[in-house]
Amino acid sequence: FFFKQKTAYEMLRSLVGSEMCIRDRLSIYAIQSAFNDRRFDPIKKKEVPLLTCFLSLLTNFEKVTDPLDWEVGKHGIRIEFEDDDQQYRGTYLPQVAEEQGWTQKETLEHLVEKAGYYGKLKKIYSSIKLTRYQSSKCSLTFDEYFSMRK
């Protein structure tokens, strides 16, 4: 699952995730997402009423032999590969490529770079182990949460 928070203006504020059991981790990841995502400043108290929390449950994992055997907007992708005895891995949720306007190849290039590899895709393409998956999403605004707590 992945836990994401956005402001009322659709600005991404945090994103963390895990392939572990949601019941055991959701509250932990909500806190980590809010305060420990190094890509963003910690969420401030005044931002809380403006937040919408999103939860993506990852489903239907399928290993594929062709790194382009997936559909933009339908599948998320997880990659693993090795180069010079260094292992790399990364994942994008199903909505990422579509939101960014990327093709399959562009998405793969960005994900390889996100994994920390800065060489040519052509060099490692045949060694990429790709798993495609889908997700089921839900969201909750602060106002909805607050109404439920009354």
Side-chain angles (χ1 to χ4, degrees):
F1 72 92
F2 279 80
F3 187 85
K4 174 170 72 172
Q5 298 182 38
K6 283 188 174 182
T7 67
Y9 306 105
E10 291 297 306
M11 191 168 120
L12 184 65
R13 284 295 285 123
S14 62
L15 175 67
V16 295
S18 172
E19 292 178 14
M20 303 182 90
C21 177
I22 188 171
R23 182 189 68 213
D24 299 336
R25 295 286 186 188
L26 187 56
S27 62
I28 293 168
Y29 277 102
I31 293 167
Q32 285 184 347
S33 175
F35 302 111
N36 299 325
D37 188 334
R38 292 176 295 189
R39 298 168 294 180
F40 304 96
D41 291 332
I43 290 175
K44 296 174 180 63
K45 187 176 181 178
K46 68 181 181 181
E47 292 180 281
V48 172
L50 304 174
L51 291 178
T52 301
C53 295
F54 297 84
L55 181 66
S56 296
L57 297 174
L58 309 185
T59 62
N60 303 329
F61 289 85
E62 302 172 285
K63 292 183 180 185
V64 296
T65 55
D66 179 355
L68 295 178
D69 185 8
W70 58 278
E71 295 177 42
V72 171
K74 177 179 180 180
H75 294 110
I77 58 173
R78 179 178 65 199
I79 60 169
E80 297 177 31
F81 62 95
E82 189 175 308
D83 185 56
D84 294 328
D85 294 325
Q86 175 74 35
Q87 293 188 341
Y88 300 88
R89 65 178 52 175
T91 193
Y92 276 144
L93 296 172
Q95 62 269 22
V96 171
E98 190 171 49
E99 287 174 356
Q100 297 301 317
W102 294 335
T103 64
Q104 287 176 303
K105 186 175 181 213
E106 290 170 327
T107 303
L108 196 56
E109 289 170 341
H110 285 285
L111 186 52
V112 163
E113 189 173 296
K114 179 185 174 194
Y117 181 79
Y118 299 100
K120 299 277 185 199
L121 177 61
K122 188 176 183 179
K123 180 181 178 192
I124 50 94
Y125 186 84
S126 63
S127 69
I128 293 174
K129 295 175 186 160
L130 188 136
T131 301
R132 67 185 183 191
Y133 58 87
Q134 296 177 36
S135 72
S136 176
K137 299 182 293 186
C138 62
S139 64
L140 188 68
T141 66
F142 178 78
D143 288 341
E144 291 168 333
Y145 170 77
F146 193 73
S147 293
M148 291 170 43
R149 301 291 292 173
K150 286 184 180 179

